[in-house]
Amino acid sequence: FYFRNKHRPFLLFVSLLHVHTPLITTEKFQGRSRHGLYGDNVEEMDWMVGKLLDVIDKEDLKNTTFIYFASDHGGFLEAHRGNSQLGGWNGIYKGGKGMGGWEGGIRVPGIVRWPGVLPAGTVINEPTSLMDIYPTVVQLAGGAVPQDRVMDGHTLLPLLRGTEQHSRHEFLFHYCGVFLHAVRWHQRDRGTVWKDHYATPVFQPEGSGACFRTGICPCFGDGVTHHDPPLLFNLSHDPSEANPLSADTEPL
């Protein structure tokens, strides 16, 4: 692919099966990690991404190639062997992959490399979306997104270049399948990020932070709890979503 296209613009989209069930890990990487098959899967993914970057560097395309690496939702928590939990880890955030509302099921790192344009080591703490890839790629290619409809994504380039300081997403709606589980609002005049939960998965066992009995949390039915009024969190002060707000604790 590179050899055919290295002298002209190209788009390469690589959608890895890693790190997802079933954990298909080649023999070369089995047993490489201390974190079981899930860890082996992460290491193989890391190796594959490294091979792609090596070719970009070798062909002297590093400074002219925009690279964006991200994941489809947070780490998968339910992977286990016997009684040992061997799944992903989402840090301070509650929940994980397959949960449409909790931060652990939404937040993933987005890593960008474009040495000819973007300075290394920059950290941007703003929520963006995989919906933003399409308008970003269109802008990079010199095109224009359709004007006859509302686009849910926004180009990432102003944020990455520092010409804008905040994500253009005032609202983000978080679905589990076709069911709306939560919505976040970035209140611009205060800089506060609020989040409402309309439905949350029932963790099994209770308090475990995941759905170990079913292997992944369901989006509807008996496996979710509906909240009326919704659970409300101030993510700016409570990113772990540990303390739901009430009219007593948050009059606003």
Side-chain angles (χ1 to χ4, degrees), residues 10-236:
F10 63 85
L11 171 66
L12 176 63
F13 177 75
V14 180
S15 183
L16 298 165
L17 288 172
H18 313 59
V19 176
H20 211 296
T21 54
L23 296 167
I24 302 167
T25 308
T26 59
E27 189 175 345
K28 176 181 176 181
F29 284 90
Q30 290 178 16
R32 287 274 289 267
S33 165
R34 291 178 296 175
H35 201 61
L37 192 59
Y38 190 96
D40 295 343
N41 217 239
V42 173
E43 296 218 7
E44 184 169 23
M45 177 189 66
D46 182 63
W47 174 80
M48 293 169 73
V49 172
K51 297 296 281 186
L52 288 169
L53 295 180
D54 287 346
V55 175
I56 292 282
D57 295 351
K58 179 183 173 185
E59 297 298 328
D60 200 28
L61 296 170
K62 182 163 71 173
N63 288 343
T64 55
T65 302
F66 178 89
I67 296 171
Y68 181 80
F69 175 86
S71 174
D72 69 328
H73 319 308
F76 173 65
L77 302 178
E78 285 87 358
H80 64 276
R81 185 173 60 214
N83 293 323
S84 300
Q85 295 180 19
L86 295 172
W89 181 71
N90 296 314
I92 66 169
Y93 302 115
K94 184 181 291 185
K97 188 183 293 292
M99 303 180 208
W102 294 121
E103 289 293 274
I106 297 166
R107 287 183 182 245
V108 295
I111 305 171
V112 173
R113 191 184 82 156
W114 195 7
V117 177
L118 304 175
T122 303
V123 178
I124 299 172
N125 288 311
E126 287 289 308
T128 60
S129 166
L130 295 179
M131 296 185 295
D132 299 333
I133 296 175
Y134 169 61
T136 303
V137 168
V138 169
Q139 183 178 359
L140 286 168
V145 297
Q147 298 299 305
D148 61 346
R149 69 205 73 181
V150 175
M151 302 303 296
D152 292 318
H154 303 287
T155 175
L156 295 169
L157 296 181
L159 197 60
L160 295 173
R161 286 175 166 150
T163 57
E164 293 183 5
Q165 302 307 311
H166 297 290
S167 167
R168 294 184 182 182
H169 291 282
E170 182 180 3
F171 296 94
L172 282 170
F173 295 85
H174 304 298
Y175 286 82
C176 186
V178 298
F179 300 94
L180 179 65
H181 275 211
V183 60
R184 93 179 50 220
W185 173 39
H186 182 192
Q187 188 181 5
R188 299 288 169 81
D189 58 341
R190 291 182 51 163
T192 305
V193 179
W194 308 93
K195 191 157 126 211
D196 262 344
H197 286 263
Y198 305 105
T200 55
V202 178
F203 292 143
Q204 311 150 5
E206 185 179 351
S208 64
C211 299
F212 291 105
R213 290 183 190 142
T214 54
I216 195 165
C217 290
C219 296
F220 63 96
D222 294 338
V224 302
T225 301
H226 293 276
H227 303 281
D228 185 15
L231 293 179
L232 174 64
F233 295 93
N234 180 341
L235 294 185
S236 300

